[in-house]
Structures are given as structure tokens and as C-alpha cells.
Amino acid sequence: MARLGSWIEPFSEGIYVRPADAWIDPSQPKSIALVTHGHADHARGGHGAVWATPETLAIMEARYGPQTGRAAAYGEVVRLGEVDVSFVPAGHVLGSAQIVLEHGGERVVVSGDYKRRPDPTCAPFEPVPCDIFITEATFGLPVFRHPATAEEVDRLLARLHDNPDRCILVGAYALGKAQRLIVELRCRGYHEPIYIHGALQRLCDLYAGFGVPLGELKPATGASKGELKGQIVIAPPGCLNDRWSRRLPDPITAMASGWMRVRQRARQRMVELPLIVSDHADWDELTETIAELAPREVWITHGREEALKHWCMTRQIKARELNLVGYEDEDD
């Protein structure tokens, strides 16, 4: 009898689906790439053809230029070689998907990056029972238990209220985190203009084009110090302490990331207001998802693999590390 999942082979540069002759999130150019979402460590340029959701294809086009490929809506089943392929929501960022593969009576779910908590900027994670669940483990340690997002946003707003002569400069990654933070602020009743670094404009426009309501955004570059007092400014993390930030009125430096749970990381970035807002599943979400799906095997792509593998093995779930390269933790 063939080993479970013998038709799927992990290589260092990605996961190869042999009967479809296609790769999932490959880090090197391939003839056919199935892409889970638009972050650069999963969506590379140079592929012959890309299969992804319409949103992910649009993100890749914004970053890499026109893409040849196939847009697949959530829930649509398409045939590729000898494999039925479908994309279902992953809850990570706009257009993010789990890739469901069915072949030879087996179902494999490649989750990409995902989270389970609500996010107003993207479709929520959809659990799909499967034989093999291929998961990340970015926050795969029990110490990582993310607080409620609303509580973190309220902390930001309270600090803003208490410092009317300063601004709050929030570091947030350009794809997903910046837009989510903007919408979470709106959900908490903040409807003032939000100032953004120019590097965020293109993707904010893309989100708005897909119907995500961001409210009024203004360019931070060119605004006077007086105009920015008492305002929220969002910029890429690399701008928190560089020359660009010196034009701001005594900024309170914040950063929105799951890594802000680690105090040393906040200190290294000289972050005064760490905001634990993550687009990845925390420890409880990872383990509860596996328990819910009840797969026969769990394959772990990247992150804190050993702890999650141990958790699986103690519950009689076969688990293995794939040791893929090129996936980064810092997009959170």
C-alpha cells in the first residue's frame, strides 16, 4: 500500500504535487505555481503560470507586473492534471487561501499562513476536514497567546487621547497588517483621517478596490508637524526610526505584530507602544484547528516546528517537519 500523501513531495523550495505537475508557494520560478496568498515569501515572481484567488493575483500584479495564470474563486473546484484543486479562505490577508487537493481518495489541505480570529479585511478561515493538514507554526509555542485585537486597538486610542501634542507612529507591514489596523480603528469608532506612508498607498488602494472600507487616508509625507499632532500615522516597520520619522511631532513609536509579545523584540526596535496584533494563528488556534480537523497526519512547513510536532505526537497524530526554506516570520 502506498504511503499516505505519496503523491505530494516536499522540497526545500516548495511542495511539489506530482500528478498535477505543479508547485505550491515555490520560492523559485516554476512552470505552474499554486499560490496561497500575496506575501512575498509565498508569492514570488517569474512563474510560467500562477493559480490563485483573484485578490492574490491582483496583489502579485501590483508587485511583479502582469501575471499569466488562472483565477479561482473561493469554493470553485478546478481540475489540474489528475488532481481536483480548490481554494478556501485562510483568514490571513485579503485573498489568502488554503489549497485543497484531492487525488486517489485522499484529501490534503495546504493551509499557507492562517488565523482563526475575526478580521474585517478578509474572509474567515474555513475548516476543511482532511487526511493531511499542512500547517505553519509561526507562533507554535504555548507562550504565544494573542490578546483580543479590540483591546490592543483601545490601548492605541487611549495613548493618543492622553497625548494630544504628539502623534502615534505605528509600524505595520504593507500587505494585510496596515489595512487591518485601519479597519480595526474604524470599528472602534475612530473616523478621523489616518496618515500613511507613501509605500502603503498602492496596497491600500487595492484593498479599497476590492470593497474593503478604509475611510479617509492622507499622505503623511508633506504634512506639517502641526497637522500631525494628535494623529495616527502608519508606516512600514523600517521607517519607525529612520530619517523619515524625524519630520513627525514627537512621535510615540508603536508596532503592530504578534512578535510584540516578545519584549526583547520591542526593545530592539525601540518600540514604546507594542501592539500584539497578529495575522497568524497563535498556539491555541494552531492546536484547536488540528483537533477540529482531526487529520491522520500533520505536516509543518515553518516556524516553531518542534513544539507543534510534539503536541501532535502526544495525541497520536503523526507529524513531520518539512524544512522548507524562504518562508519568513517577519511579515506579521
Side-chain angles (χ1 to χ4, degrees):
M1 177 181 289
R3 174 179 55 82
L4 181 66
S6 60
W7 46 283
I8 295 179
E9 189 172 357
F11 290 86
S12 60
E13 71 264 34
I15 297 170
Y16 180 58
V17 185
R18 188 178 301 105
D21 192 21
W23 292 76
I24 296 176
D25 289 353
S27 59
Q28 300 175 7
K30 301 295 181 182
S31 58
I32 301 177
L34 310 179
V35 177
T36 60
H37 66 282
H39 279 140
D41 56 337
H42 292 257
R44 315 287 178 122
H47 302 304
V50 175
W51 291 41
T53 64
E55 297 88 345
T56 295
L57 282 175
I59 291 165
M60 293 182 69
E61 288 178 354
R63 289 183 155 179
Y64 306 123
Q67 299 292 304
T68 301
R70 169 77 153 78
Y74 288 137
E76 178 186 2
V77 179
V78 293
R79 188 76 172 177
L80 182 56
E82 301 172 10
V83 182
D84 286 331
V85 180
S86 57
F87 293 74
V88 299
H92 180 55
V93 297
L94 180 70
S96 61
Q98 306 169 79
I99 299 177
V100 182
L101 308 167
E102 298 189 71
H103 171 73
E106 297 176 358
R107 177 186 287 163
V108 176
V109 173
V110 185
S111 61
D113 291 337
Y114 67 98
K115 66 176 179 292
R116 301 300 303 268
R117 61 191 60 209
D119 179 343
T121 68
C122 64
F125 180 95
E126 181 179 314
V128 179
C130 52
D131 298 295
I132 298 175
F133 184 57
I134 302 181
T135 180
E136 59 149 315
T138 300
F139 292 109
L141 290 173
V143 67
F144 291 114
R145 288 184 165 93
H146 305 323
T149 304
E151 295 176 2
E152 298 299 284
V153 174
D154 285 347
R155 290 177 54 235
L156 188 162
L157 292 174
R159 185 68 70 91
L160 183 69
H161 179 268
D162 292 342
N163 295 271
D165 292 328
R166 305 176 69 183
C167 74
I168 296 187
L169 172 60
V170 187
Y173 288 94
L175 171 58
K177 186 60 61 62
Q179 297 79 21
R180 181 184 175 198
L181 183 61
I182 291 167
V183 178
E184 296 283 3
L185 283 162
R186 304 309 190 195
C187 291
R188 302 304 291 170
Y190 186 79
H191 298 297
E192 300 298 318
I194 294 175
Y195 291 80
I196 62 172
H197 188 283
L200 306 182
Q201 188 68 58
R202 182 172 53 178
L203 287 173
C204 285
D205 290 344
L206 187 149
Y207 265 65
F210 277 100
V212 179
L214 301 178
E216 184 179 2
L217 305 179
K218 289 186 175 182
T221 302
S224 68
K225 285 191 175 184
E227 184 182 352
L228 293 173
K229 283 185 178 180
Q231 304 297 325
I232 296 171
V233 180
I234 301 177
C239 295
L240 290 184
N241 299 296
D242 74 355
R243 187 171 58 182
W244 182 87
S245 67
R246 296 174 194 166
R247 71 189 68 196
L248 304 178
D250 191 17
I252 297 169
T253 302
M255 183 165 175
S257 170
W259 293 112
M260 291 297 97
R261 171 71 72 185
V262 182
R263 292 180 181 178
Q264 181 62 25
R265 292 213 182 193
R267 285 196 294 267
Q268 286 172 347
R269 289 183 174 269
M270 295 183 285
V271 171
E272 183 178 345
L273 178 61
L275 301 170
I276 306 170
V277 180
S278 176
D279 286 327
H280 292 262
D282 67 7
W283 175 256
D284 290 335
E285 291 173 80
L286 290 167
T287 55
E288 289 169 7
T289 297
I290 293 170
E292 177 182 6
L293 301 183
R296 294 162 60 189
E297 293 187 15
V298 171
W299 297 2
I300 306 167
T301 58
H302 65 289
R304 273 74 250 162
E305 300 101 326
E306 275 296 330
L308 191 58
K309 178 181 176 182
H310 176 75
W311 183 91
C312 290
M313 300 297 281
T314 60
R315 286 155 181 81
Q316 289 74 54
I317 302 172
K318 186 176 179 181
R320 61 182 291 200
E321 303 170 39
L322 300 189
N323 300 312
L324 305 184
V325 299
Y327 292 165
E328 302 294 339
D329 294 334
E330 295 300 328
D331 66 351
D332 191 64

